[in-house]
Amino acid sequence: MKEYDIAVIGGGPGGYVAAIRAAQAGACVCLVERDRVGGTCLNRGCIPTKALYSTAHLLQAIRSAAAHGIEVGEPRFDFGRAASRKDEVVSRLVGGVEQLLKGNGVEVFRGEASLEGPGRVRIRRPDLTGHIRVKKIILATGSLPTCPQTLPVDGKIVLTSDEILAIKELPASLLVIGGGYIGCEFASIYAAFGSRVTIVEQLPALLPRSDRQAVREVEKALRERDVAIHTETSVESLEVGDEGVTASLSGGQKVRAAKVLVAVGRRPNSEGFGFAENGVRLEKGAVVVDAGMRTSAEGVFAIGDVTGGIQLAHVASYQAQIAVANALGGEERADYRVVPSTIFTLPEIGEVGLTEEDCKSKGVAVDVGRFAYQASSKAVCAGETRGSIKIVAAAEDGRILGASIVGAEASTLVAEVAVAMQQQMTAAQLGRLIHSHPTLPEMIKEAAEDTVGEAVHKIGRRTKNRPEGDRK
Ligand SMILES: Cc1cc2nc3c(=O)[nH]c(=O)nc-3n(C[C@H](O)[C@H](O)[C@H](O)COP(=O)(O)OP(=O)(O)OC[C@H]3O[C@@H](n4cnc5c(N)ncnc54)[C@H](O)[C@@H]3O)c2cc1C
């Protein structure tokens, strides 16, 4: 029987990247996927949501066209066509991943894999069950939406992110339970499409891990679109009828909605595949790994959402690289100090490293640099003056500790700060880089300069009086 050097279980951004990386390194690799390759990210996560987000963004831009002298009236929006376009985007990208796997010589098995003892993986399909022999295994089985018993998901009216991405008609009203990034992204998108949206969040604020100022900007934009936001509130019961649902909130209010999105978190997908039975230690359902992505079972690695760490596609892909290197005899360790991420609300939030609030709670003294989009010439030209940039630098030595950006292209802008952080630059060094004019990244330069009181297009802050040689 053929023995593979590496078998990857799960074909999401963790698994398919691991398989390709291993094949590029010359290993004999197979990938087992029970559904379509691309995983949650490509089929039910990042990509379909961002296809819809692009539509919402365009709709918003068209609505503000009159400011440019372009009169289009209220655009006629066909949700069904937007949903079909989203499906086409997904299919096209899934096809791309299939081609990449094939082109790199990765053997793809369709079916559900489980561990069956050292070096043995079972692959089960409705029509047959087979086994393969492998030297090393990488678990990349991802995560699933959390569905609390009190919020009975029926897939028709009460939905998770999986089902809401499959609906073909725009709901007149949508109740979003959970004000994390998934809930807030859907709320922004559906509010822009014209649904009446309500968000209910148990905690005192939406997006609790993000910069407070950035979140306030998003909340303001949501309220301008008539989104009702209930924080420090829980949904006590849901009464589902033919026409929709009535939710009873902890404050005594009732909310009626055509559809409900339950977005209260995701849990590692680790049960039923023989992990624990074969020595893979789990903690609260997550596969426990060391910095080299090794599990407690010899020759078994795990990456991505199933490890219960930072649940982001690019983190899963990064871990794939580490796991493959180590499965092939290397000694690499994951480092999560610089992980940029984006919350695709309207406006979007781009963030990396620590927030100002994180630094305060850790007792780290910081210099904070701020710059507003309304002071950027490019933002004014584009009519995108909403938002701000904040860079947080260590007061001790000026090293950049983090950035939070809310506004147009925040997702792109944050990448520059991530590179600067990776290079351990100080904010003053970042501020001295030449930036092309007129562009949005000039705001990064200004915010970086502002940490030492030297932003040019900003008044009201005195330059720190430091001698030239003393500048960080
Ligand atoms: C609505 C939504 C929006 C998101 N947006 C973003 C975003 O904008 N940016 C971002 O970075 N992240 C985003 N995420 C998170 C991102 O999708 C995940 O972090 C990422 O997909 C995790 O990758 P993974 O490879 O660990 O697992 P997954 O992508 O979940 O892939 C796991 C794969 O394993 C397969 N599988 C599971 N068990 C078995 C088995 N026993 N045998 C065979 N196959 C199996 C599954 O079918 C699946 O294809 C979003 C998530 C959601 C839900």
Side-chain angles (χ1 to χ4, degrees), residues 303-319:
I303 57 176
D305 283 10
V306 74
T307 63
I310 306 171
Q311 293 186 335
L312 288 171
H314 43 286
V315 172
S317 301
Y318 167 72
Q319 293 173 334

Side-chain angles (χ1 to χ4, degrees), residues 23-46:
Q24 285 171 338
C28 173
V29 190
C30 70
L31 172 79
V32 192
E33 170 55 59
R34 65 181 179 186
D35 196 347
R36 291 208 292 184
V37 294
T40 303
C41 176
L42 211 42
N43 295 289
R44 297 172 298 279
C46 330

Side-chain angles (χ1 to χ4, degrees), residues 160-180:
T160 68
S161 57
D162 289 356
E163 292 98 17
I164 199 172
L165 284 166
I167 62 176
K168 299 284 177 239
E169 275 177 36
L170 183 66
S173 49
L174 176 68
L175 167 62
V176 176
I177 306 177

Side-chain angles (χ1 to χ4, degrees), residues 90-107:
V90 169
S91 295
R92 179 173 167 174
L93 294 176
V94 167
V97 173
E98 284 169 348
Q99 288 305 315
L100 286 172
L101 288 164
K102 195 170 167 196
N104 279 286
V106 175
E107 209 166 324

Side-chain angles (χ1 to χ4, degrees), residues 8-16 31-34 39-40 44 111-115 137-144 266-275 280 282 285-287 301-308 316:
V8 182
I9 302 182
Y16 86 74
L31 172 79
V32 192
E33 170 55 59
R34 65 181 179 186
T40 303
R44 297 172 298 279
E112 186 168 280
S114 48
L115 303 187
I137 299 170
I138 298 179
L139 309 176
T141 50
S143 61
L144 301 168
R266 295 182 63 83
R267 64 187 166 86
N269 179 27
S270 60
E271 279 166 30
F273 314 133
F275 293 175
V280 175
L282 305 178
V287 175
F301 297 74
I303 57 176
D305 283 10
V306 74
T307 63

Side-chain angles (χ1 to χ4, degrees), residues 3 38 43 180 281:
E3 187 181 40
N43 295 289
R281 193 156 77 83

